[in-house]
């Protein structure tokens, strides 16, 4: 049988990750390469990958077994918007001209999202300044009570959603899964009233705790799947 790590060992792993995230110049913010609270310098690819590993360990630590420790850094990829594991041979994040960072975990099929496209997305949003706390989940919008949720619907270019999210979905196809990292100046820092808006009181409080606090990094991360495109 496989034995689990003692609680003290798990805490040591988490502590090392958090110390690493907060204590060097290569760290511009929490998880996956973002600006630190006080600093506004752009992220580097190296810092993205370094912090992505710790983000995965922090999420998976309670379930890490002795023979799985070497693979703990990959734990963040077990769940991408509650979809599926990414393919082997992970590609690095790509940075768009507006600072948005994207990484595809599964290619879709058919036409690609472009300006004017009407899209339906299932997605989950996380606050990286709060160790990945969820502030938006389409499954929370569940009026029928069947647990399926309701996709976020919008037309690309209609200015109803965050500019960073719009640019992040450009080029996706139906069935595609992508991780999108949105900095504050094309996200909630500059456009706090745009979609996606939290769907529960708990999610709203989580987002407000970052957006309404200028000392916190307002960079957010979305895991997105294109359900429909027309």
């Amino acid at each position: 049988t496989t034995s689990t790590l003692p609680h003290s060992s798990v805490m040591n792993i988490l502590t090392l990750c958090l110390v690493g995230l907060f204590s060097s110049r290569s760290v511009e913010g929490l998880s996956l390469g973002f600006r630190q609270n006080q600093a506004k310098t752009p992220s580097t690819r190296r810092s993205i990958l370094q912090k992505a590993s710790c983000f995965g360990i922090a999420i998976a630590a309670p379930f890490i077994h002795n023979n799985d420790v070497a693979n703990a850094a990959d734990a963040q990829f077990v769940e991408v918007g509650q979809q599926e594991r990414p393919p082997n041979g992970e590609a690095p994040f790509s940075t768009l001209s507006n600072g948005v960072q994207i990484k595809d975990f599964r290619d879709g099929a058919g036409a690609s999202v472009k300006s004017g496209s009407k899209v339906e997305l299932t997605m989950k949003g996380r606050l990286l300044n709060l160790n990945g706390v969820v502030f938006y989940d389409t499954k929370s919008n569940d009026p029928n009570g069947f647990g399926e949720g309701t996709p976020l619907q919008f037309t690309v270019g209609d200015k109803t959603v965050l500019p960073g999210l719009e640019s992040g979905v450009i080029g996706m196809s139906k069935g595609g899964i992508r991780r999108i990292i949105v900095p504050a100046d094309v996200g909630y820092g500059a456009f706090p009233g745009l979609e996606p808006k939290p769907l529960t009181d708990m999610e709203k409080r989580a987002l407000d705790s970052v957006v309404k606090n200028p000392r916190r990094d307002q960079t957010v991360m979305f895991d997105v799947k294109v359900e429909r495109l027309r």
Side-chain angles (χ1 to χ4, degrees):
T1 59
T2 304
S3 59
T4 57
L5 282 175
H7 181 266
S8 59
S9 298
V10 171
M11 293 306 297
N12 287 339
I13 293 172
L14 292 174
T15 301
L16 288 172
C17 284
L18 292 175
V19 169
L21 287 173
F22 283 103
S23 64
S24 73
R25 284 193 173 183
S26 66
V27 178
E28 286 93 30
L30 256 180
S31 209
L32 297 173
F34 301 105
R35 295 182 294 271
Q36 196 174 14
N37 300 358
Q38 298 85 357
K40 299 298 180 180
T41 56
S43 303
T44 64
R45 180 174 296 176
R46 181 178 180 182
S47 65
I48 289 170
L49 297 177
Q50 177 184 0
K51 285 166 277 185
S53 297
C54 277
F55 181 67
I57 293 174
I59 290 176
F63 309 102
I64 295 174
H65 295 78
N66 288 337
N67 61 343
D68 293 331
V69 173
N71 297 322
D74 187 49
Q76 66 148 336
F77 300 117
V78 173
E79 179 185 36
V80 180
Q82 295 188 343
Q83 302 301 326
E84 67 172 28
R85 193 174 181 85
N88 294 328
E90 299 160 6
F93 281 87
S94 298
T95 302
L96 307 181
S97 60
N98 59 359
V100 171
Q101 299 169 64
I102 61 174
K103 181 174 180 176
D104 287 313
F105 288 83
R106 186 173 78 187
D107 293 331
S112 298
V113 176
K114 59 184 178 181
S115 181
S117 296
K118 295 181 180 180
V119 297
E120 295 184 17
L121 310 175
T122 52
M123 54 188 291
K124 180 179 289 187
R126 295 183 181 274
L127 298 165
L128 300 182
N129 188 265
L130 297 181
N131 288 328
V133 167
V134 174
F135 72 91
Y136 181 83
D137 190 344
T138 50
K139 288 193 174 183
S140 298
N141 186 12
D142 187 29
N144 296 322
F146 294 116
E148 296 179 350
T150 304
L152 175 67
Q153 304 178 35
F154 64 93
T155 299
V156 178
D158 66 1
K159 299 183 179 180
T160 60
V161 302
L162 300 176
L165 178 59
E166 278 196 329
S167 61
V169 300
I170 295 292
M172 295 185 71
S173 300
K174 182 178 179 180
I177 298 173
R178 177 177 289 180
R179 177 162 286 179
I180 303 171
I181 299 167
V182 180
D185 56 353
V186 287
Y188 292 106
F191 305 94
L194 296 185
E195 295 284 358
K197 297 177 181 178
L199 299 168
T200 68
D201 290 339
M202 183 178 296
E203 292 172 355
K204 185 178 187 302
R205 286 194 296 270
L207 181 60
D208 285 347
S209 71
V210 171
V211 172
K212 295 183 178 181
N213 187 341
R215 294 175 296 177
R216 284 183 166 172
D217 180 12
Q218 297 165 349
T219 301
V220 295
M221 180 181 76
F222 294 105
D223 288 334
V224 175
K225 180 183 178 183
V226 178
E227 299 289 353
R228 295 188 65 186
L229 167 62
R230 57 189 188 278

